[in-house]
Amino acid sequence: MQPTNIANPAYFHKVVDCQWACPAHTPVPEYIRLIAQRRYGDAYMVNWVSNVFPGILGRTCDRPCEPACRRGRVEQNNAGDPEPVAICRLKRVAADMKEDVRARMPQRAARNGKRIACVGAGPSSLTVARDLAPLGYEVTVFDGEARPGGFMRTQVPRFRLPEEVIDEECGYVLDLGVEFVAGRRIDSMKALMAEGWDAIFVGCGAPRGRDLDLPGRSEAAAQIHIGIDWLASVSFGHVTQVGKRVIVLGGGNTAMDCCRSARRLGGEDVKVIVRSGFEEMKASPWEKEDAMHEGIPIINYHVPKAYVHENGRLTGMTFEVVRAEYDAKGRRKLVPTGEPDPFFACDEVLIAVGQENAFPWIERDSGIAFDEWGLPVLDKSTFQSTVPNVFFGGDAALGPKNIITAVAHGHDAAISIDRLLHGEDPRTRPAPTVNLMSQKMGIHEWSYHNATSLDQRFAVPWTQAEKALASIRVEVELGFDAATAFKEAQRCLNCDVQTVFNQSTCIECDACVDICPMDCISFTADGDEPDLRTRLKAPALNLAQDLYVSGQLKTGRVMVKDEDVCLHCGLCAERCPTGAWDMQKFLFKSAMAGSGCRDKAQPRTALEAEA
């Protein structure tokens, strides 16, 4: 194998599994260490630079970082069901316990004469506004609703996300000098383009929920609702009660929000019924757990057949029972079992079987091309449409995803807009900035706490069930207190503090091999990677994680380290008699709009300085 090039930013970035998995590349271990030091404001600002909405995401994020967390891989001998660090809920700690951070936000910049229109006030548009306003752009955000937030406000129930959190974090963006035009729903792209904007960003989400047109749909229409529309009506107070028996169709997070909301609005018998298997449901595992914790059963492998009604009123639904069969290529097919079709009585049905994009306001002769699925044709790296100064992001770009993905789209689109309006090619993507800093404070002392905690994941306390289920606006999760947050933060393995090997000072004494608790360091003859992985002290079985390979040492062997299970404990560096191993903090920062993303360097802005 060729020696590992640790100067490549992607190498150690991939080792920081949580940051690698985060669409916005939030430096997770960095802010968790700050929380452990009770520097909540600093932790919040580290989050704010990358994910923009720490308080919102600390309650609602889909948490792609947590399944990637190394903690869930390395403690299998200590826990029957190893769990990752509660990264998302620690983010909420930073938001809830911070001091007033308004003075730390970027100042309004002098206008540069460029005007940007953002359609929709959801997370992707607000991210574009947050990135561009401090650079001097005049950003105007249009939305049909009275307050900003988009689907964060209308689709996420208040028992998960209090309104004051949305107001606060959207307010930070608007306070940068962003103009918010409430109550104006853009109904013509051509008319908007005629207003002379230098760039237009479309972040209007995927506003249309899929219907389920089965026999009886039109006859019982009054008691059948599209899930996202129903959630919006609940959010705005237009719906305040529901029938006692409710069926929710669908297995995604929207379905979980619908069933839990129905439970709070008077539903005594609320069921979720899905056509797939329980494990195949798109809802996050914790969303399913929360629903079942509140007494809501999830019935799987039932395909809806018909809405049953009497005299124009819904009385229930019939289903076909199926099972999953897989062919030789692993493709699934749902096959009827032949059992009698079950009937479930209900008073109302909430349909949450997916969302789709709807752009009736974008004229098909506007120059913006759409694909066969109704999505805009985009450059996937720049989010630029077939009209050069029109960009898309969030659910409007690639279909329904989640808040953190929308934020990542907003950052990328802001870079594209900034480069385009400075006469540069948006397709040239700026590299991230990286830094490696030794953590030595003595011969064998580090500037960070490197003792591995043996604690299992701490549970987040909940409001008492009687109180939580009595109101749609009582927040269920209470968040960690300071003491529990500290203990949970100590579970982080500091994966951004890397073991860096200097082959020129290695004497091949194998002391690091002997002391490594995970058997992830080996000195062996070189070879092709498939062969080398099998000859290590412990076979390196996770092909998704790279091997750290040195150049040839004096004996002809090479040092090979399996990055997959390393605890970053520093014992190898402490034991090494020559200092060939060092613990170095790897700081990765994604490029952002501003001087750093352009071909010609310019003085840094306030936002870049904060980052």
Side-chain angles (χ1 to χ4, degrees):
M1 293 186 66
Q2 293 298 312
T4 299
N5 177 19
I6 64 173
N8 178 0
Y11 178 75
F12 280 139
H13 183 202
K14 191 175 180 181
V15 175
V16 191
D17 302 84
C18 50
Q19 187 177 21
W20 177 263
C22 175
H25 302 302
T26 303
V28 174
E30 179 77 3
Y31 80 73
I32 288 180
R33 278 192 298 273
L34 293 170
I35 289 171
Q37 298 167 33
R38 300 198 176 191
R39 294 168 57 187
Y40 304 119
D42 291 339
Y44 185 87
M45 294 308 297
V46 167
N47 271 280
W48 187 81
V49 167
S50 58
N51 64 46
V52 187
F53 307 103
I56 293 172
L57 287 165
R59 292 165 166 84
T60 64
C61 190
D62 276 8
R63 315 181 201 176
C65 54
E66 292 192 13
C69 177
R70 184 180 303 263
R71 186 87 198 197
R73 301 199 299 272
V74 302
E75 65 175 12
Q76 292 181 358
N77 292 331
N78 299 328
D81 186 19
E83 291 192 278
V85 175
I87 298 169
C88 181
R89 292 327 184 229
L90 286 173
K91 190 190 309 291
R92 172 179 171 172
V93 168
D96 288 356
M97 298 188 183
K98 71 183 183 304
E99 69 276 13
D100 189 345
V101 296
R102 284 175 293 182
R104 301 180 61 173
M105 296 293 170
Q107 300 299 306
R108 300 186 184 188
R111 298 301 188 197
N112 63 13
K114 303 293 185 181
R115 298 168 61 246
I116 314 297
C118 292
V119 180
S124 60
S125 286
L126 292 177
T127 299
V128 170
R130 200 290 305 266
D131 286 1
L132 295 182
L135 304 178
Y137 291 96
E138 183 180 339
V139 183
T140 302
V141 178
F142 298 96
D143 198 274
E145 305 300 340
R147 298 159 79 184
F151 278 26
M152 296 186 297
R153 188 181 296 275
T154 62
Q155 304 304 317
V156 183
R158 295 292 78 84
F159 59 82
R160 290 181 58 206
L161 178 59
E163 203 145 36
E164 56 268 22
V165 177
I166 307 173
D167 292 339
E168 175 191 354
E169 297 199 320
C170 293
Y172 289 146
V173 177
L174 301 187
D175 287 346
L176 298 174
V178 175
E179 182 182 1
F180 175 56
V181 180
R184 180 181 169 188
R185 193 175 301 277
I186 302 300
D187 55 15
S188 169
M189 173 59 85
K190 290 174 71 173
L192 185 66
M193 294 167 69
E195 294 178 11
W197 301 95
D198 294 288
I200 295 171
F201 177 80
V202 179
C204 58
R208 186 167 62 193
R210 291 198 182 103
D211 204 344
L212 203 56
D213 191 10
L214 301 171
R217 176 67 176 92
S218 57
E219 292 86 344
Q223 289 85 46
I224 302 171
H225 316 285
I226 303 298
I228 63 170
D229 298 336
W230 184 82
L231 285 172
S233 296
V234 171
S235 177
F236 292 124
H238 304 318
V239 170
T240 57
Q241 61 184 12
V242 73
K244 292 185 178 182
R245 300 172 301 175
V246 180
I247 289 175
V248 178
L249 302 175
N253 287 341
T254 298
M256 300 303 103
D257 286 339
C258 283
C259 69
R260 296 178 70 196
S261 297
R263 186 80 171 78
R264 286 160 171 78
L265 294 178
E268 297 175 1
D269 176 12
V270 180
K271 298 182 181 72
V272 175
I273 303 181
V274 294
R275 57 183 289 132
S276 67
F278 180 83
E279 296 299 329
E280 297 168 315
M281 290 172 61
K282 292 183 178 180
S284 304
W286 47 88
E287 299 285 0
K288 294 187 284 188
E289 290 169 9
D290 290 349
M292 292 187 294
H293 178 78
E294 294 179 353
I296 301 168
I298 297 176
I299 301 169
N300 61 353
Y301 289 129
H302 279 56
V303 176
K305 288 188 69 174
Y307 306 99
V308 180
H309 55 91
E310 291 181 6
N311 300 319
R313 185 161 190 87
L314 182 74
T315 59
M317 288 193 69
T318 57
F319 294 82
E320 181 179 47
V321 181
V322 296
R323 67 175 184 270
E325 289 187 356
Y326 297 86
D327 62 18
K329 294 183 178 180
R331 292 174 298 198
R332 189 198 68 170
K333 183 170 67 172
L334 296 177
V335 179
T337 65
E339 299 174 48
D341 292 344
F343 170 80
F344 293 94
C346 66
D347 303 307
E348 292 191 59
V349 170
L350 305 178
I351 302 172
V353 294
Q355 294 167 228
E356 55 193 10
N357 293 76
F359 299 105
W361 57 278
I362 300 181
E363 297 87 350
R364 292 309 187 257
D365 62 350
S366 65
I368 298 173
F370 290 86
D371 63 21
E372 58 187 302
W373 299 281
L375 292 169
V377 175
L378 304 175
D379 183 302
K380 295 300 189 293
S381 64
T382 66
F383 294 91
Q384 187 177 39
S385 74
T386 49
V387 173
N389 71 332
V390 176
F391 299 80
F392 287 71
D395 292 354
L398 304 177
K401 297 290 183 183
N402 49 51
I403 297 172
I404 191 63
T405 299
V407 168
H409 290 180
H411 286 312
D412 284 336
I415 291 173
S416 299
I417 292 169
D418 190 36
R419 287 184 58 84
L420 178 73
L421 298 188
H422 279 80
E424 298 176 353
D425 188 351
R427 293 170 296 180
T428 303
R429 307 309 287 177
T433 59
V434 295
N435 201 356
L436 275 168
M437 298 162 282
S438 177
Q439 300 302 290
K440 279 191 175 181
M441 294 185 67
I443 296 176
H444 292 143
E445 292 179 304
W446 314 114
S447 65
Y448 71 103
H449 183 68
N450 69 323
T452 302
S453 166
L454 298 181
D455 288 335
Q456 295 186 34
R457 179 173 169 131
F458 290 87
V460 178
W462 277 35
T463 301
Q464 288 184 339
E466 311 81 57
K467 184 178 179 183
L469 294 176
S471 171
I472 196 77
R473 295 189 173 271
V474 172
E475 189 171 13
V476 175
E477 289 193 4
L478 299 176
F480 289 133
D481 59 22
T484 309
F486 172 79
K487 290 187 286 187
E488 183 63 34
Q490 292 300 97
R491 297 183 67 241
C492 177
L493 296 174
N494 299 294
C495 294
D496 61 336
V497 181
Q498 307 295 345
T499 49
V500 177
F501 182 70
N502 180 4
Q503 71 180 63
S504 65
T505 57
C506 176
I507 59 173
E508 301 184 64
C509 65
D510 285 6
C512 55
V513 177
D514 294 339
I515 202 169
C516 177
M518 302 303 290
D519 293 330
C520 63
I521 300 174
S522 303
F523 287 83
T524 185
D526 200 356
D528 293 334
E529 182 173 348
D531 166 58
L532 196 58
R533 282 183 176 270
T534 65
R535 290 192 285 105
L536 305 181
K537 188 174 183 182
L541 304 178
N542 183 2
L543 302 182
Q545 189 61 272
D546 296 334
L547 298 176
Y548 185 0
V549 182
S550 74
Q552 192 174 79
L553 299 166
K554 294 175 183 177
T555 63
R557 300 185 300 174
V558 292
M559 184 286 302
V560 184
K561 176 171 172 285
D562 180 7
E563 296 283 18
D564 185 47
V565 292
C566 174
L567 293 177
H568 297 245
C569 62
L571 289 175
C572 55
E574 291 181 8
R575 181 67 181 84
C576 181
T578 65
W581 286 104
D582 189 18
M583 304 304 294
Q584 298 185 12
K585 185 169 75 170
F586 172 75
L587 188 61
F588 177 97
K589 293 183 179 179
S590 300
M592 295 186 67
S595 60
C597 83
R598 300 188 212 121
D599 298 337
K600 299 175 183 178
Q602 298 175 10
R604 295 199 308 167
T605 67
L607 181 59
E608 293 170 300
E610 180 67 50

